[in-house]
C-alpha cells in the first residue's frame, strides 16, 4: 500500500509542477525580458515608462520607469527622497522599508492601494519597478510580484 501512496503522490507532484510551469510565460517588452503569469497582459510604454503588466481582471499591475538622475545617488538616498516626496503630496503609510524597496499604502478617494517599489541604480539611471493592488489583495499577490521582479533582465 505504501508504494501506491508514493506513486499517487509522485504523480500529483509531477502534475502540479507541469501546471505551474504552464502558468507562466517569458516576455520581452520595452527592451526588457521577464517571466509573468501566462494570462497577464503586457503594454509597451513610451518615454520613461518602459512597460506595464496587468492581470486579466485589472486588479494587479506592475510597471517599470527608467529615469536619468541629475546627480549620482545611492539607492538609499533615492528611496528617502521618494518617501519625502510621496509624504508631501499624498496620504501615505510606509508599511515596510528595505534596502532596495519599500511597501506603501496610498489612500485614494477612500480606497487603499498597497504598492511595492523596487529600485536599482546603474550609473545615473534609476530603475523603479512598482507593483500594486488593493490593500486586501496585496499579501496573496506579493509572491507573484517578487517572482516577476526577480525574473526581470535589465
Amino acid at each position: 500500500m505504501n508504494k501506491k501512496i508514493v506513486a499517487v503522490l509522485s504523480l500529483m507532484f509531477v502534475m502540479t509542477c507541469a501546471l505551474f510551469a504552464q502558468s507562466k510565460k517569458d516576455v520581452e517588452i520595452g527592451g526588457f525580458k521577464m517571466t509573468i503569469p501566462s494570462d497577464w497582459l503586457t503594454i509597451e510604454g513610451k518615454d520613461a515608462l518602459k512597460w506595464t503588466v496587468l492581470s486579466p481582471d485589472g486588479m494587479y499591475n506592475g510597471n517599470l520607469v527608467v529615469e536619468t538622475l541629475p546627480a549620482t545617488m545611492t539607492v538609499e538616498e533615492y528611496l528617502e527622497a521618494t518617501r519625502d516626496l510621496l509624504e508631501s503630496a499624498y496620504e501615505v503609510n510606509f508599511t515596510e522599508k528595505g534596502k532596495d524597496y519599500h511597501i506603501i499604502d496610498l489612500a485614494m478617494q477612500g480606497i487603499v492601494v498597497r504598492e511595492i517599489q523596487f529600485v536599482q541604480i546603474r550609473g545615473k539611471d534609476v530603475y523603479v519597478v512598482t507593483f500594486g493592488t488593493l490593500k486586501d489583495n496585496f499579501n496573496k499577490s506579493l509572491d507573484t510580484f517578487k517572482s516577476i521582479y526577480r525574473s526581470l533582465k535589465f
Side-chain angles (χ1 to χ4, degrees), residues 99-140:
K99 183 178 176 183
D100 65 349
Y101 74 95
H102 51 220
I103 297 176
I104 314 159
D105 286 348
L106 295 158
M108 296 186 233
Q109 300 176 0
I111 297 171
V112 179
V113 174
R114 182 167 283 176
E115 296 181 339
I116 185 167
Q117 287 188 321
F118 298 97
V119 175
Q120 288 192 28
I121 295 178
R122 296 178 182 200
K124 285 192 174 182
D125 290 333
V126 61
Y127 299 80
V128 181
V129 180
T130 304
F131 296 100
T133 187
L134 295 175
K135 181 180 177 181
D136 292 343
N137 296 337
F138 186 81
N139 287 340
K140 64 184 171 192

Side-chain angles (χ1 to χ4, degrees), residues 1-153:
M1 185 180 287
N2 284 341
K3 289 182 182 180
K4 286 184 181 179
I5 291 172
V6 170
V8 168
L9 290 175
S10 296
L11 181 60
M12 289 174 59
F13 176 75
V14 169
M15 290 172 58
T16 301
C17 289
L19 180 62
F20 180 75
Q22 293 173 356
S23 67
K24 296 186 180 270
K25 66 182 175 184
D26 294 326
V27 297
E28 184 171 350
I29 185 164
F32 299 89
K33 294 179 182 180
M34 67 188 137
T35 303
I36 62 174
S38 61
D39 57 350
W40 281 37
L41 307 170
T42 58
I43 303 166
E44 189 155 356
K46 65 180 199 174
D47 301 325
L49 177 64
K50 300 304 178 187
W51 52 256
T52 299
V53 292
L54 188 65
S55 66
D57 61 6
M59 293 298 295
Y60 307 92
N61 65 76
N63 64 64
L64 170 64
V65 172
V66 180
E67 296 181 301
T68 301
L69 298 169
T72 303
M73 297 178 86
T74 66
V75 170
E76 293 83 4
E77 291 170 331
Y78 182 85
L79 283 169
E80 190 59 39
T82 300
R83 291 173 187 140
D84 291 344
L85 178 65
L86 289 170
E87 287 174 331
S88 70
Y90 301 100
E91 183 181 335
V92 300
N93 178 36
F94 291 90
T95 62
E96 189 174 327
K97 297 176 183 179
K99 183 178 176 183
D100 65 349
Y101 74 95
H102 51 220
I103 297 176
I104 314 159
D105 286 348
L106 295 158
M108 296 186 233
Q109 300 176 0
I111 297 171
V112 179
V113 174
R114 182 167 283 176
E115 296 181 339
I116 185 167
Q117 287 188 321
F118 298 97
V119 175
Q120 288 192 28
I121 295 178
R122 296 178 182 200
K124 285 192 174 182
D125 290 333
V126 61
Y127 299 80
V128 181
V129 180
T130 304
F131 296 100
T133 187
L134 295 175
K135 181 180 177 181
D136 292 343
N137 296 337
F138 186 81
N139 287 340
K140 64 184 171 192
S141 59
L142 184 56
D143 286 342
T144 299
F145 296 158
K146 287 180 177 179
S147 176
I148 295 169
Y149 177 72
R150 283 191 304 263
S151 77
L152 186 57
K153 305 290 187 261

